[in-house]
Amino acid sequence: MDPELEPYLSLFPPSDLSDPPAARRQLAELTATLPEPDTADLEIEDRTVPGDPPVPVRIYRPQHPQGALVWLHGGGFVMGDLETEHPWAAMIAGGSGATVVSVAYRLAPENPFPAAHDDAYAALVWASENADALGTAPDRIAVGGHSSGGGIAASVALRARDEQGPPVRFQVLNQAGLDDRQLTVSARTFTDTPFVTRSKVAQMWGHYLGGAAATPYAAPARAADLSGLPSAYITAAEFCPNRDEDIDYAARLLQAGVPVELHQWAGTFHGSQQIQSAEVSQLQIAELFTALRRGLAG
């Protein structure tokens, strides 16, 4: 473990999703400890975009946008909303120069798959159709997310390819949850890691799938063909059950001819970049901004 991260481990809530409302309250309390983002140079708008049902989003537009990002928050498919994601979404918009469309997708277990996936795809369709209002062009829109949101982003890229839907320029898959099967070494090994453990991942997928069989749009690692997908920036944390599925997905994308930048961050755990005082977190955040700028470059 990175020595700058260790002193903060007690701040992270227990790894348990058996009581979703309690888990949501814990995430909100954790997020409240983060520093307020600098939004002075951002135009921020809450709105609802067409969907079935309509989907709430929060738009963060810099003064001179360099592309747009449809961003899906983390939270094990169970937690998170526009408020808990506000610090991250604002920071990404300010740091990358991209307009960020933060999506309040429906949460499991009340709304199992495909609810979150459909909401995210509806947000992508809206962003593509309203690219001018976002300060960009339809072919300069990325999808991305953290943890479960990264998995949803990957699934949206798959669907856009399969249905010849809106063009996706780039994928940002940050410690993404991509595989419900939990067969990798990291998924089998990490039973007591901070914040996310094997049992929590099992709970997460149980809530999301609701007893149904997983499809590639639920668990993108199940997709047989990864060719024709947009280039990707993929990150993994060393002490995270998702680590190896992220690395495996990156390798499979490369083998399918998709350009990929992969960074496995030594000494980190799932979500540890929330500890922004640590040098490794600062490096992670800066690199994500750089990768997104490069991915959206004209």
Side-chain angles (χ1 to χ4, degrees):
M1 184 74 65
D2 186 290
E4 286 191 284
L5 300 178
E6 284 186 299
Y8 293 89
L9 295 183
S10 63
L11 298 179
F12 284 77
S15 294
D16 182 37
L17 292 179
S18 59
D19 184 345
R24 290 166 190 156
R25 288 193 297 271
Q26 285 182 325
L27 179 63
E29 291 167 2
L30 176 64
T31 305
T33 67
L34 297 177
E36 276 294 312
D38 181 1
T39 60
D41 295 327
L42 298 175
E43 179 183 328
I44 301 175
E45 176 190 4
D46 285 350
R47 65 174 300 152
T48 303
V49 304
D52 185 18
V55 183
V57 300
R58 181 170 293 171
I59 302 164
Y60 301 78
R61 179 172 171 166
Q63 291 183 349
H64 303 287
Q66 304 297 313
L69 170 68
V70 176
W71 181 254
L72 292 314
H73 64 77
F77 305 114
V78 170
M79 305 175 287
D81 54 31
L82 295 180
E83 297 305 325
T84 60
E85 200 60 16
H86 175 67
W88 265 105
M91 189 166 59
I92 293 171
S96 71
T99 297
V100 172
V101 180
S102 181
V103 184
Y105 56 82
R106 285 169 288 171
L107 300 176
E110 297 89 341
N111 299 282
F113 176 82
H117 169 85
D118 287 345
D119 290 351
Y121 194 77
L124 172 65
V125 170
W126 177 85
S128 180
E129 293 174 349
N130 294 271
D132 283 350
L134 299 176
T136 187
D139 63 350
R140 293 185 66 187
I141 296 174
V143 295
H146 175 70
S147 190
S148 55
I152 297 169
S155 75
V156 164
L158 283 166
R159 180 173 170 183
R161 178 202 65 179
D162 295 346
E163 297 185 358
Q164 297 183 319
V168 177
R169 181 66 163 262
F170 193 60
Q171 304 178 73
V172 179
L173 310 182
N174 191 44
Q175 302 173 8
L178 301 167
D179 196 342
D180 65 295
R181 293 166 291 191
Q182 293 187 273
L183 298 177
T184 66
V185 172
S186 62
R188 288 184 283 110
T189 301
F190 293 134
T191 59
D192 61 351
T193 39
F195 200 40
V196 173
T197 63
R198 177 179 175 83
S199 63
K200 188 175 184 179
V201 172
Q203 290 175 323
M204 159 184 124
W205 284 108
H207 287 316
Y208 190 48
L209 296 174
T215 69
Y217 291 168
R222 288 181 173 269
D225 178 13
L226 300 185
S227 63
L229 288 168
S231 357
Y233 172 67
I234 298 177
T235 72
E238 182 177 1
F239 302 110
C240 173
N242 297 350
R243 183 193 68 195
D244 294 347
E245 65 201 63
D246 293 334
I247 294 170
D248 291 349
Y249 198 73
R252 289 185 58 215
L253 284 169
L254 285 167
Q255 291 158 8
V258 177
V260 175
E261 183 175 352
L262 167 68
H263 198 139
Q264 195 291 121
W265 290 92
T268 64
F269 61 88
H270 192 93
S272 63
Q273 58 198 23
Q274 300 272 29
I275 304 167
Q276 295 175 25
S277 59
E279 182 181 9
V280 67
S281 299
Q282 295 166 16
L283 291 171
Q284 286 175 278
I285 293 166
E287 185 178 282
L288 188 150
F289 295 162
T290 300
L292 182 56
R293 282 196 299 268
R294 196 162 56 241
L296 288 172

